[in-house]
Amino acid sequence: MSLKLGVIGAGAIGKEHIRRCTQVLQGATVVAVSDINVESARAAVALPGVQAEIYTDGHDVIQSSDVDAILVTSWDPTHEEYTLAAIAAGKPVFCEKPLAMSAEGCRRIVDAEMKAGRRLVQVGFMRPYDEGYLALKKVIDDGDIGAPLMLHCAHRNQSVGENYTTDMAITNTLIHELDVLRWLLNDDYRSVQVRFPRSTSHTHPRLRDPQIVSFETRKGILIDVEVFVNCQYGYDIQCEVVGETGIARLPEPSAIQMRKSANLSTAILTDWKDRFIKAYDVELQAFINDVKAGQLQGPSAWDGYAASVAADACLQAQESSEPVAVTLPECPAFYQR
Amino acid sequence: MSLKLGVIGAGAIGKEHIRRCTQVLQGATVVAVSDINVESARAAVALPGVQAEIYTDGHDVIQSSDVDAILVTSWDPTHEEYTLAAIAAGKPVFCEKPLAMSAEGCRRIVDAEMKAGRRLVQVGFMRPYDEGYLALKKVIDDGDIGAPLMLHCAHRNQSVGENYTTDMAITNTLIHELDVLRWLLNDDYRSVQVRFPRSTSHTHPRLRDPQIVSFETRKGILIDVEVFVNCQYGYDIQCEVVGETGIARLPEPSAIQMRKSANLSTAILTDWKDRFIKAYDVELQAFINDVKAGQLQGPSAWDGYAASVAADACLQAQESSEPVAVTLPECPAFYQR
Amino acid sequence: MSLKLGVIGAGAIGKEHIRRCTQVLQGATVVAVSDINVESARAAVALPGVQAEIYTDGHDVIQSSDVDAILVTSWDPTHEEYTLAAIAAGKPVFCEKPLAMSAEGCRRIVDAEMKAGRRLVQVGFMRPYDEGYLALKKVIDDGDIGAPLMLHCAHRNQSVGENYTTDMAITNTLIHELDVLRWLLNDDYRSVQVRFPRSTSHTHPRLRDPQIVSFETRKGILIDVEVFVNCQYGYDIQCEVVGETGIARLPEPSAIQMRKSANLSTAILTDWKDRFIKAYDVELQAFINDVKAGQLQGPSAWDGYAASVAADACLQAQESSEPVAVTLPECPAFYQR
Amino acid sequence: MSLKLGVIGAGAIGKEHIRRCTQVLQGATVVAVSDINVESARAAVALPGVQAEIYTDGHDVIQSSDVDAILVTSWDPTHEEYTLAAIAAGKPVFCEKPLAMSAEGCRRIVDAEMKAGRRLVQVGFMRPYDEGYLALKKVIDDGDIGAPLMLHCAHRNQSVGENYTTDMAITNTLIHELDVLRWLLNDDYRSVQVRFPRSTSHTHPRLRDPQIVSFETRKGILIDVEVFVNCQYGYDIQCEVVGETGIARLPEPSAIQMRKSANLSTAILTDWKDRFIKAYDVELQAFINDVKAGQLQGPSAWDGYAASVAADACLQAQESSEPVAVTLPECPAFYQR
């Protein structure tokens, strides 16, 4: 009764998901793995407990009668192609972000899925599975702080390499907030503005860092997200929701309280994996459970599309310094939750 | 390759472990369940995903050739009997605390296991699997606060019922500290003293509450544990280790920070299950993994015996108000870790 | 050797300063008090320990040979007139904010003081005397967080009355940040933008609440200040400085930590006086000491002018939704510190 | 109308009080200073603003018709003599701790003051004037945590010199808790026990450090105070009151919150003066005000006596390891507050 998974792409994240499905999660077995680099596929299949067939072509994984559901963890530009193929084959597919390289690509997936008549796609946005965000959403939904009016957020990384450029602050970093804040507020973005303070001396010529990305939502909520990827001090995700009667803030990661050397302190994480590793487990377990229950409930192709539309507007806003409209069509009934 | 588990006792904790093994953990299947009340066994077997045979006698579960390992979650006075039977059958056994009703009973299990020549018994002490305690132990073991000198601990429950008596503060409540503090410090108790302040008005005639239990360890560390089971405000486990160069404190459970009604606050848990549910998962997964790897590493029969010896001394100390010696023999090489 | 003070205006703040100078501070005596309402003057003079002559005209207070220095705590529209008169009389003057009703009025005071050739004016901005802001400035100035890049601030009041309108969020509330942030950063504002989320249901038709006021400074620092004067939960002043290597945050007011009713909490203040009462003491004691030492060092007429110029730009920005330039001339050498 | 103070003893604390009365406090003038070392007296009188006559004999200060009230800040063994002389002269006297070198000495002062028929003596215990303790007392007195049952306290110093011996942990360090906890709880000690864990390697042969001093009060409250004077990490005063319905804890000193180098931290003080400097100001201002109002209300000779009786019992308990009775007579009506 185990769900038979085919994994397309056995790089870092693919291998990690294969390990997760085999050693941590319940109810699924990786039975097929492909990678353009067959060595990567072999290394993944050699993980303890894995017994999977190696394929040279991702499409063969999709078509294999051994395979019930697909994980797309391949090179970003191939995500759309494999996801569309999985839809065509009528097989549930978990596609790592980005769902496609453009909003149009995401839209094609949305259209294909709607035509297929049932939800087959989950996008790999894991933050809605994080305990902290879940607790924050509960506070909001329970009305504990009244209607939300403003969000003050921060996404900070200790440092990034020379190949990380200004636009990647949107497409690689802010993309998580683009998804999770829509979900948190059950709302969509109406416009976005990007402001740049003077850059930190710890950045490099092709990266303006930090930046503040500000949204107005359809409900009239103002959201500010500080993106600071060379903050030096750690990996730090902050989200504070100001409501009509109170303020709720994402918990700090649990840590030992120390009194030492004239300081009262708790450690700040430095690796994003430590912050969200459990959310990855929960996310993929939910996909497995939902596929078996016949009803996907996680981040949808529409969510991937909405994030992509918002990201495009952010990129424009990086150029203009003026507010830029975010023009997302109304969510089809098919995707409403 | 799934480990086939037989569960003896399908009451609250037994049923919960059956659910856990079936729906949460990896690598094990519950194949046999017994309970003196067959209805309980039926209810447990009716849980989603469970496919197990019902036995009327726990000994039949142990003897069944279908069963690889045993979980003893039956009525406390039967723990010793079933654990000894599992040892005799050469099957690994996870026994919920208490391991036996007396130190002598624990000792019989220790002797039987040593005679069997390999570790077959794990006791259900879950705190060493709690992330907070693991982090605290790492801080100590890394030397971050120097040699530990004192521990200030508290074990507080919101309230208890009329059937909870003074001695149960030791046998049902403090028993967790008795185990985890030995493990945390890699040390044993030398003596114990119990002091009673005036009792809270929220207790009843058969329960003196709170009480302060103080230990001196063999290394000369002083430990104070406040046990307060009608503290009204929540379920709260505190542990502060004062070392030569600093102090480390168990993390508060992660919680949303709220600003509301003139208060900056985080919620305190009220149910012990919320505090330790993950530790139960990790504990039992470790048992499953260790059985499969042929090497039990969790809390041993010796640990169960040591906790029982310490508990007996605490009960004496409740009567005497003087320090009472804790007379645990040296740990046999068989159990040294 | 006590400094003889003349106080013009014996309303709430005037009376409070008279009490402060008489009962709390050192080295000054209130010898003259005027108010357009002679009853107010009488009530102030009747405070324990006060022995002052009552004048009907503020100008007589200024001219009195008994009076060494002036406190202007009269009706706002009269501040400029009395301050100019004190300058003309060559007497040091402490003028409550606002220094004048317009930037032009402030400028006239600046010009008069420069013509007088020595600093005679201190404006009643008390936040630079607050321990928290002083500690925050020290952290910045010591380089502990590297060069400041962004500030995230909030100024929240529990609630305001029906007579409080949208512009007053700038002139009565934000005015404190307009002063203290210049001082904190040793910088000036280059432009300002105001954004309005949907308003809280706890406001009234003539007040859009909350609002976010965003500055860019000459050094390129981005500052966001949330002004929320019906936040319901308390009086809360937040200031977080994001630097190149770390982040420093204004301390929360000291409060008892409570564990009660399933909450771990500290009280939030509800009255602004409790938050800044000590800063008022320190501020006025500094004025007294500096007058006696012949060298005013507190917030100057230029600081009052700069805050007024910034406030005017904020008011424009409330109308425009676009960034508005803040056009403050270069600070004359006379005022540089 | 300034209160004319005579100061006997111009060493460190004397000089500091002279500075305080002259430069910080209101309503008093130091008019007379004596010291056995005339150079010390001269240095104190040379402080800015001081205009006082120098006496060679403390008794002449007491007898001087210029002097309204006395501060005794001389060598400890002379406190009793000067305090008794001040009582005999009918002059209010603020005596630094210890009031006398023995409980009997304190008793003689108590008897002399009662015979004089009015309160003339205040002892220099400053903690009841600390904002944190005042707030904690208010929480208790308001019934916010129900009746107090247990106190968990700590008094930690970074390090002490070679001349600091085991008994000084009582007479110089714990003495502050001995006073403030009686006041906090409005209670007296019934018995005391001292326990020693292994000592820190950071101590020296004549000092067992740390130690835990445990009291039972007359009301049946259990108090544990950890005294650790070589804790290395800072100066740290902790006090947690466990009541029937909740727990209240002394605030941490206000400090900037920092995110830096993978730590979220606030500074811990290292110098006790920084912790209690304001309490010293408030304490002495209260003495001045109370003398002028004709009604001393601060820590009394009885409080000094009670602390001395408790300290004697602690010293005995250091030797015995058994609980030792604290035999304080009932408080005379004369001293009841």
Side-chain angles (χ1 to χ4, degrees):
Chain A
M1 215 105 63
S2 194
L3 183 73
K4 287 172 284 176
L5 296 174
V7 180
I8 303 174
I13 181 76
K15 192 173 170 188
E16 173 68 6
H17 279 335
I18 292 168
R19 180 200 64 79
R20 177 170 283 116
C21 292
T22 306
Q23 296 172 13
V24 181
L25 307 183
Q26 254 222 353
T29 311
V30 176
V31 298
V33 172
S34 75
D35 197 282
I36 52 163
N37 178 348
V38 73
E39 286 313 310
S40 295
R42 275 189 200 131
V45 165
L47 284 169
V50 179
Q51 285 187 307
E53 200 171 339
I54 293 176
Y55 291 72
T56 49
D57 186 336
H59 288 286
D60 294 341
V61 171
I62 293 168
Q63 300 308 327
S64 167
S65 60
D66 269 359
V67 168
D68 300 327
I70 311 295
L71 305 194
V72 177
T73 50
S74 53
W75 191 43
D76 288 1
T78 65
H79 286 188
E80 179 184 347
E81 172 190 342
Y82 289 127
T83 300
L84 286 170
I87 294 170
K91 294 190 179 177
V93 53
F94 177 97
C95 179
E96 267 306 323
K97 68 178 181 63
L99 184 57
M101 298 303 282
S102 66
E104 292 69 32
C106 293
R107 182 76 218 196
R108 282 189 288 270
I109 291 171
V110 159
D111 291 341
E113 190 183 29
M114 287 176 66
K115 199 165 155 204
R118 63 187 179 102
R119 282 213 35 203
L120 288 165
V121 181
Q122 176 165 337
V123 188
F125 288 129
M126 80 294 187
R127 285 212 197 162
Y129 295 99
D130 172 67
E131 281 190 4
Y133 278 108
L134 284 163
L136 190 55
K137 186 166 176 57
K138 179 166 164 43
V139 163
I140 298 170
D141 290 351
D142 288 355
D144 289 348
I145 58 167
L149 304 173
M150 294 169 288
L151 268 68
H152 306 305
C153 308
H155 188 141
R156 302 189 189 113
N157 292 67
Q158 202 162 19
S159 63
V160 295
E162 291 282 321
N163 59 334
Y164 185 108
T165 51
T166 301
D167 57 317
M168 291 168 70
I170 305 300
T171 55
N172 288 33
T173 300
L174 186 73
I175 192 74
H176 289 288
E177 271 80 14
L178 290 177
D179 176 66
V180 78
L181 300 180
R182 288 180 67 244
W183 165 85
L184 187 68
L185 297 171
N186 200 23
D187 198 356
D188 275 301
Y189 311 112
R190 183 190 286 158
S191 68
V192 60
Q193 182 181 10
V194 178
R195 291 171 294 151
F196 294 95
R198 64 175 169 191
S199 283
T200 174
S201 59
H202 298 282
T203 189
H204 58 80
R206 294 159 63 220
L207 172 59
R208 299 181 72 177
D209 182 45
Q211 49 193 284
I212 298 178
V213 187
S214 302
F215 300 92
E216 187 181 0
T217 73
R218 293 185 177 172
K219 290 179 186 163
I221 299 167
L222 289 187
I223 301 171
D224 286 327
V225 186
E226 175 202 319
V227 181
F228 188 5
V229 295
N230 287 293
C231 81
Q232 307 299 305
Y233 75 82
Y235 179 71
D236 197 4
I237 302 299
Q238 297 285 331
C239 183
E240 187 178 61
V241 183
V242 182
E244 291 197 336
T245 57
I247 297 179
R249 191 179 182 125
L250 206 59
E252 300 287 335
S254 183
I256 295 291
Q257 189 197 61
M258 298 281 286
R259 291 173 191 268
K260 200 182 164 186
S261 306
N263 270 287
L264 176 57
S265 68
T266 51
I268 291 177
L269 298 175
T270 53
D271 188 335
W272 59 269
K273 280 177 228 134
D274 295 334
R275 174 67 181 81
F276 287 112
I277 183 130
K278 284 183 199 164
Y280 281 107
D281 293 349
V282 177
E283 166 197 55
L284 215 48
Q285 185 69 62
F287 175 74
I288 292 166
N289 295 351
D290 289 350
V291 167
K292 292 169 101 167
Q295 181 79 38
L296 285 188
Q297 303 182 76
S300 70
W302 183 264
D303 295 324
Y305 173 55
S308 185
V309 166
D312 285 354
C314 290
L315 292 172
Q316 260 188 274
Q318 281 187 331
E319 303 301 321
S320 81
S321 90
E322 299 279 296
V324 167
V326 181
T327 52
L328 181 73
E330 278 307 303
C331 180
F334 181 86
Y335 286 108
Q336 274 162 23
R337 32 184 176 183
Chain B
M1 217 106 62
S2 194
L3 183 72
K4 288 172 284 176
L5 295 174
V7 179
I8 303 174
I13 181 77
K15 192 174 172 187
E16 173 67 6
H17 278 335
I18 292 168
R19 181 201 63 78
R20 178 170 283 117
C21 292
T22 306
Q23 296 172 12
V24 181
L25 306 183
Q26 252 221 356
T29 311
V30 176
V31 299
V33 172
S34 75
D35 198 282
I36 51 161
N37 178 346
V38 73
E39 285 313 310
S40 294
R42 276 192 198 127
V45 165
L47 284 169
V50 178
Q51 287 187 305
E53 198 170 339
I54 293 178
Y55 291 71
T56 49
D57 184 337
H59 288 287
D60 294 341
V61 171
I62 294 168
Q63 299 309 327
S64 167
S65 59
D66 269 359
V67 167
D68 299 329
I70 311 295
L71 304 194
V72 177
T73 50
S74 52
W75 191 44
D76 288 2
T78 65
H79 286 188
E80 179 184 346
E81 171 191 342
Y82 289 126
T83 300
L84 286 170
I87 294 170
K91 295 191 180 178
V93 53
F94 177 96
C95 179
E96 267 305 326
K97 68 178 182 62
L99 183 57
M101 297 304 281
S102 66
E104 292 68 32
C106 293
R107 182 75 217 197
R108 283 189 288 270
I109 291 170
V110 160
D111 291 341
E113 190 182 29
M114 288 176 65
K115 199 167 156 202
R118 63 186 179 102
R119 280 209 40 200
L120 288 166
V121 180
Q122 176 165 338
V123 188
F125 289 129
M126 80 295 187
R127 287 212 194 161
Y129 295 99
D130 173 65
E131 282 191 2
Y133 278 108
L134 284 163
L136 190 55
K137 185 166 177 57
K138 180 166 163 41
V139 164
I140 297 170
D141 290 350
D142 288 356
D144 290 349
I145 56 167
L149 304 174
M150 294 169 288
L151 267 69
H152 306 304
C153 308
H155 188 140
R156 302 188 189 114
N157 291 67
Q158 203 161 19
S159 62
V160 295
E162 293 280 324
N163 59 334
Y164 185 110
T165 49
T166 301
D167 56 317
M168 292 168 70
I170 305 300
T171 54
N172 288 35
T173 300
L174 185 73
I175 192 72
H176 289 287
E177 272 79 14
L178 290 178
D179 177 64
V180 79
L181 300 181
R182 287 180 69 241
W183 165 86
L184 186 69
L185 298 171
N186 199 24
D187 198 355
D188 275 301
Y189 311 112
R190 183 190 286 158
S191 68
V192 60
Q193 181 181 10
V194 178
R195 290 172 294 151
F196 294 95
R198 64 175 168 191
S199 283
T200 175
S201 59
H202 297 281
T203 188
H204 58 81
R206 290 160 64 221
L207 172 59
R208 300 182 71 177
D209 183 43
Q211 49 193 283
I212 299 178
V213 187
S214 302
F215 300 92
E216 187 180 1
T217 72
R218 291 183 179 174
K219 289 179 185 164
I221 300 169
L222 290 187
I223 301 172
D224 287 327
V225 186
E226 175 202 320
V227 181
F228 188 7
V229 296
N230 287 294
C231 81
Q232 307 297 308
Y233 75 82
Y235 178 71
D236 196 3
I237 301 300
Q238 298 286 331
C239 183
E240 187 178 60
V241 184
V242 181
E244 291 197 336
T245 58
I247 297 180
R249 192 180 180 126
L250 206 59
E252 300 287 335
S254 185
I256 295 291
Q257 188 197 62
M258 298 282 286
R259 289 172 192 270
K260 200 181 163 186
S261 306
N263 270 287
L264 176 57
S265 68
T266 51
I268 291 178
L269 298 174
T270 53
D271 189 335
W272 59 269
K273 280 178 228 135
D274 295 333
R275 175 65 181 83
F276 286 113
I277 184 130
K278 284 182 199 164
Y280 281 106
D281 293 350
V282 177
E283 166 197 55
L284 215 47
Q285 185 69 64
F287 175 74
I288 293 166
N289 295 351
D290 289 352
V291 167
K292 291 169 104 168
Q295 181 80 36
L296 285 188
Q297 303 181 77
S300 69
W302 183 264
D303 295 324
Y305 173 55
S308 184
V309 167
D312 285 353
C314 291
L315 292 172
Q316 260 188 276
Q318 282 187 331
E319 303 301 321
S320 81
S321 92
E322 299 279 294
V324 166
V326 182
T327 52
L328 182 72
E330 278 307 301
C331 181
F334 183 85
Y335 287 108
Q336 275 162 24
R337 33 184 177 183
Chain C
M1 217 104 64
S2 194
L3 184 73
K4 288 173 284 176
L5 296 174
V7 180
I8 303 174
I13 181 78
K15 191 172 172 189
E16 172 68 6
H17 279 336
I18 291 168
R19 179 199 65 77
R20 177 170 283 119
C21 293
T22 307
Q23 297 172 10
V24 181
L25 307 183
Q26 253 221 354
T29 311
V30 176
V31 298
V33 173
S34 76
D35 197 282
I36 51 162
N37 178 346
V38 73
E39 286 313 311
S40 295
R42 275 190 199 130
V45 166
L47 284 169
V50 178
Q51 286 187 305
E53 200 172 337
I54 293 177
Y55 290 73
T56 50
D57 186 336
H59 288 288
D60 294 341
V61 170
I62 294 168
Q63 300 308 326
S64 166
S65 61
D66 270 359
V67 167
D68 300 328
I70 311 294
L71 304 193
V72 176
T73 50
S74 52
W75 192 43
D76 288 1
T78 65
H79 286 188
E80 180 185 347
E81 172 190 342
Y82 289 127
T83 300
L84 287 171
I87 295 171
K91 294 191 179 178
V93 54
F94 177 96
C95 179
E96 266 306 323
K97 68 177 182 61
L99 184 57
M101 296 305 280
S102 67
E104 292 69 32
C106 293
R107 183 73 218 198
R108 282 189 288 270
I109 291 170
V110 160
D111 291 342
E113 189 182 30
M114 288 176 65
K115 200 166 154 203
R118 63 186 180 103
R119 281 211 40 201
L120 289 165
V121 180
Q122 176 165 336
V123 188
F125 288 130
M126 80 296 188
R127 286 212 195 162
Y129 295 99
D130 173 67
E131 282 191 3
Y133 278 107
L134 284 164
L136 190 55
K137 186 165 176 57
K138 180 165 163 44
V139 164
I140 298 170
D141 291 351
D142 288 354
D144 290 348
I145 58 167
L149 304 173
M150 296 169 287
L151 268 67
H152 306 305
C153 308
H155 188 140
R156 303 188 188 114
N157 291 67
Q158 202 162 18
S159 63
V160 295
E162 291 280 323
N163 59 336
Y164 185 109
T165 50
T166 301
D167 56 318
M168 292 168 70
I170 305 300
T171 54
N172 288 33
T173 301
L174 186 73
I175 192 72
H176 289 288
E177 271 79 14
L178 290 178
D179 176 66
V180 78
L181 301 180
R182 287 180 67 243
W183 165 86
L184 187 68
L185 298 170
N186 200 22
D187 199 355
D188 276 301
Y189 310 112
R190 183 190 284 156
S191 68
V192 61
Q193 182 180 10
V194 179
R195 291 171 293 152
F196 294 95
R198 63 174 169 191
S199 283
T200 175
S201 59
H202 297 282
T203 189
H204 59 80
R206 294 159 63 221
L207 172 60
R208 299 183 72 178
D209 182 44
Q211 50 193 283
I212 298 178
V213 187
S214 302
F215 300 93
E216 188 180 1
T217 72
R218 292 185 178 172
K219 290 180 185 162
I221 300 168
L222 289 187
I223 301 171
D224 287 328
V225 186
E226 174 203 320
V227 181
F228 189 6
V229 295
N230 287 294
C231 80
Q232 308 297 307
Y233 75 82
Y235 179 70
D236 197 3
I237 301 299
Q238 297 286 332
C239 183
E240 186 179 62
V241 183
V242 182
E244 291 197 335
T245 58
I247 297 178
R249 191 179 180 126
L250 206 60
E252 301 287 337
S254 184
I256 295 292
Q257 189 197 60
M258 297 281 286
R259 289 173 192 269
K260 200 182 164 186
S261 307
N263 270 287
L264 176 56
S265 67
T266 51
I268 292 178
L269 298 174
T270 53
D271 188 336
W272 59 269
K273 279 178 231 137
D274 295 334
R275 175 67 181 82
F276 286 114
I277 183 132
K278 284 182 199 165
Y280 282 106
D281 293 350
V282 178
E283 167 197 52
L284 215 48
Q285 184 70 63
F287 174 73
I288 292 166
N289 295 350
D290 289 352
V291 167
K292 292 168 102 167
Q295 181 79 38
L296 285 187
Q297 302 182 78
S300 69
W302 183 263
D303 295 324
Y305 173 55
S308 186
V309 167
D312 285 354
C314 290
L315 292 171
Q316 261 189 272
Q318 282 187 332
E319 302 301 321
S320 82
S321 92
E322 299 279 296
V324 167
V326 182
T327 51
L328 181 73
E330 278 307 303
C331 180
F334 182 85
Y335 287 108
Q336 274 162 26
R337 36 185 175 182
Chain D
M1 217 102 66
S2 194
L3 184 72
K4 288 173 283 176
L5 296 174
V7 180
I8 303 174
I13 180 76
K15 192 173 171 187
E16 173 68 7
H17 278 336
I18 292 169
R19 181 201 63 79
R20 177 170 284 116
C21 292
T22 306
Q23 298 172 11
V24 181
L25 306 183
Q26 255 221 354
T29 311
V30 175
V31 299
V33 172
S34 75
D35 198 282
I36 49 162
N37 178 347
V38 73
E39 285 312 309
S40 294
R42 278 193 196 124
V45 165
L47 284 168
V50 178
Q51 286 187 304
E53 198 171 340
I54 293 178
Y55 290 72
T56 50
D57 186 337
H59 288 288
D60 294 341
V61 170
I62 294 168
Q63 300 309 327
S64 167
S65 60
D66 270 359
V67 167
D68 300 329
I70 310 295
L71 304 193
V72 176
T73 50
S74 52
W75 191 43
D76 289 2
T78 64
H79 287 189
E80 179 185 346
E81 172 190 342
Y82 289 126
T83 300
L84 287 170
I87 294 170
K91 295 192 179 177
V93 53
F94 177 96
C95 178
E96 267 305 324
K97 67 178 182 60
L99 183 56
M101 297 304 281
S102 66
E104 291 69 32
C106 293
R107 183 73 218 198
R108 282 189 288 271
I109 292 170
V110 159
D111 291 340
E113 191 183 29
M114 287 177 65
K115 199 167 155 201
R118 62 186 180 103
R119 280 209 43 199
L120 288 166
V121 180
Q122 176 165 338
V123 188
F125 288 130
M126 79 294 186
R127 286 212 194 161
Y129 295 99
D130 173 66
E131 281 191 2
Y133 278 107
L134 284 163
L136 190 55
K137 185 164 176 59
K138 180 166 164 42
V139 164
I140 297 171
D141 290 350
D142 289 355
D144 290 349
I145 57 168
L149 304 173
M150 294 169 287
L151 267 69
H152 305 305
C153 309
H155 188 140
R156 302 187 190 116
N157 292 67
Q158 204 161 18
S159 62
V160 294
E162 292 280 322
N163 59 335
Y164 184 110
T165 50
T166 301
D167 57 317
M168 292 168 70
I170 305 300
T171 54
N172 288 34
T173 300
L174 186 73
I175 192 73
H176 289 288
E177 272 79 14
L178 289 178
D179 176 65
V180 79
L181 300 181
R182 286 180 69 244
W183 165 85
L184 187 68
L185 297 171
N186 199 22
D187 199 357
D188 275 301
Y189 311 113
R190 183 189 286 156
S191 68
V192 60
Q193 181 180 12
V194 178
R195 290 171 293 151
F196 294 94
R198 63 175 169 190
S199 283
T200 175
S201 59
H202 297 281
T203 189
H204 59 80
R206 291 159 64 221
L207 172 59
R208 299 182 71 176
D209 183 44
Q211 49 193 283
I212 299 178
V213 187
S214 302
F215 300 93
E216 188 180 1
T217 72
R218 291 185 179 172
K219 290 179 186 162
I221 300 169
L222 289 187
I223 301 172
D224 286 327
V225 186
E226 175 202 321
V227 180
F228 189 4
V229 295
N230 287 293
C231 81
Q232 306 298 306
Y233 75 83
Y235 179 71
D236 196 3
I237 301 299
Q238 298 285 332
C239 183
E240 188 178 60
V241 183
V242 182
E244 291 197 336
T245 59
I247 296 179
R249 191 180 181 125
L250 206 59
E252 300 286 337
S254 185
I256 296 291
Q257 188 196 63
M258 298 280 287
R259 290 173 191 269
K260 199 180 164 189
S261 306
N263 270 286
L264 175 57
S265 67
T266 50
I268 291 178
L269 298 174
T270 53
D271 189 335
W272 60 269
K273 280 179 230 135
D274 295 334
R275 175 66 181 82
F276 286 112
I277 183 131
K278 285 183 198 164
Y280 282 107
D281 293 350
V282 177
E283 166 197 54
L284 215 47
Q285 185 69 64
F287 174 74
I288 293 165
N289 295 351
D290 289 351
V291 168
K292 291 168 102 168
Q295 180 80 37
L296 285 188
Q297 303 181 76
S300 69
W302 184 263
D303 295 324
Y305 173 55
S308 185
V309 167
D312 285 353
C314 291
L315 292 172
Q316 259 187 276
Q318 282 187 332
E319 303 301 321
S320 81
S321 92
E322 299 279 295
V324 167
V326 182
T327 51
L328 181 73
E330 277 309 302
C331 181
F334 182 86
Y335 287 109
Q336 274 163 25
R337 32 185 177 184

